[in-house]
Amino acid sequence: MNSLRMFSTLLLSYAPQLGKEEEKDDAEVTWEDQQRINTFSKLNTRMRTLDEKLQELKQEKEALDDLATELELTDEDELVLYRVGEAFLHMPLFQAQKRLEKDQSNLDARISILSTSTEDCDSQMKALKVQLYAKFGSAINLDE
């Protein structure tokens, strides 16, 4: 009988907390809430796309860095093949190195812009997560 009394006391002490959870689970989704959820979804999709592009650009940067190393080992009077778009052109070493420096700086600028966009999306998503989890609690899942 003692254990039954302890269980009922324990249950009553958690009853207010259970009620709060049920309130969050049954929270009504307003138009504004739906707009926040849609915005979060769009940002999440954009973030994934930006991450993929960022990874591609980082791989391209690695390839350009490798090319710079290879060009350092090349004889000065040799013509080298340098990729321009979809084609390869023969050009003198010094011209290829100048072109490579230009390509590297352009790529660094693109990486910087994408990184900034990714950070911006991430901060907006965090703000939306705070708002949505505050209202819906465990009834909504915003993690991947």
Side-chain angles (χ1 to χ4, degrees):
M1 197 64 164
N2 235 354
S3 61
L4 181 59
R5 192 175 302 167
M6 285 177 52
F7 177 72
S8 63
T9 305
L10 185 62
L11 185 59
L12 288 175
S13 67
Y14 285 113
Q17 293 174 356
L18 291 174
K20 288 178 185 175
E21 286 296 321
E22 288 175 13
E23 287 175 14
K24 283 188 179 182
D25 289 345
D26 295 338
E28 184 178 327
V29 179
T30 64
W31 184 83
E32 290 85 11
D33 295 330
Q34 188 61 50
Q35 293 306 309
R36 286 185 190 110
I37 293 168
N38 292 345
T39 301
F40 182 86
S41 177
K42 289 176 190 175
L43 287 170
N44 191 25
T45 302
R46 184 169 183 230
M47 180 87 148
R48 288 182 183 181
T49 303
L50 289 173
D51 280 340
E52 288 173 9
K53 287 181 183 178
L54 194 57
Q55 291 304 318
E56 289 173 12
L57 290 178
K58 285 181 179 180
Q59 288 177 350
E60 191 175 334
K61 179 159 176 48
E62 285 181 31
L64 289 179
D65 290 343
D66 291 343
L67 178 60
T69 303
E70 288 294 321
L71 288 178
E72 288 176 4
L73 301 174
T74 306
D75 291 333
E76 287 186 24
D77 51 339
E78 237 182 274
L79 288 177
V80 295
L81 282 173
Y82 193 85
R83 183 174 154 215
V84 179
E86 296 293 321
F88 288 89
L89 302 175
H90 286 280
M91 59 178 62
L93 178 63
F94 72 91
Q95 188 178 0
Q97 287 174 328
K98 285 182 181 180
R99 181 89 181 206
L100 178 61
E101 288 174 10
K102 180 182 171 189
D103 289 347
Q104 284 177 321
S105 65
N106 288 340
L107 192 59
D108 287 337
R110 289 173 53 197
I111 288 173
S112 176
I113 291 169
L114 280 179
S115 295
T116 303
S117 296
T118 301
E119 291 169 3
D120 186 41
C121 279
D122 190 44
S123 65
Q124 290 178 34
M125 287 172 61
K126 285 180 182 178
L128 287 169
K129 271 185 180 184
V130 168
Q131 293 173 347
L132 292 169
Y133 277 132
K135 180 162 185 181
F136 298 107
S138 62
I140 191 168
N141 183 9
L142 300 174
D143 295 322
E144 293 184 37

